[in-house]
Amino acid sequence: MTDSHLPSHIVGIKVRVSGRLMTERSQPRKTVQSVQVGSFSKNNLSLVDMASYSTKNKKGAFTVKVWISQRATK
């Protein structure tokens, strides 16, 4: 195994799905489901990237948001 010196590593990931999902019956558009693994500490060595994607299905619109937390190595 090689010793790699990366400038940062992932310490947490969070996914949020909101809107009307295909698996639900007639739910309100305020439906939100979230899952988080790892930590999202707010110190000077952390960096949080966020991306979102919105689209439509037969029931209406929904949005998927993803956050990735990285910690810089010294």
Side-chain angles (χ1 to χ4, degrees), residues 4-15 35-41 43 45-50 66-74:
S4 65
H5 298 285
L6 299 174
S8 66
H9 60 277
I10 295 175
V11 293
I13 186 167
K14 179 169 43 171
V15 178
V35 174
Q36 179 177 333
V37 176
S39 66
F40 281 83
S41 65
N43 59 23
L45 296 177
S46 292
L47 174 69
V48 177
D49 292 324
M50 187 275 240
V66 178
W67 291 265
I68 297 177
S69 177
Q70 302 175 37
R71 182 170 298 139
T73 57
K74 295 179 182 179

Side-chain angles (χ1 to χ4, degrees), residues 18-61:
S18 60
R20 289 191 175 160
L21 307 176
M22 289 295 292
T23 58
E24 298 176 344
R25 295 185 63 158
S26 238
Q27 294 284 333
R29 282 180 274 171
K30 296 179 182 176
T31 302
V32 177
Q33 296 179 358
S34 296
V35 174
Q36 179 177 333
V37 176
S39 66
F40 281 83
S41 65
K42 295 186 179 191
N43 59 23
N44 58 354
L45 296 177
S46 292
L47 174 69
V48 177
D49 292 324
M50 187 275 240
S52 66
Y53 177 75
S54 298
T55 190
K56 293 182 180 181
N57 58 23
K58 292 179 184 178
K59 302 250 181 178

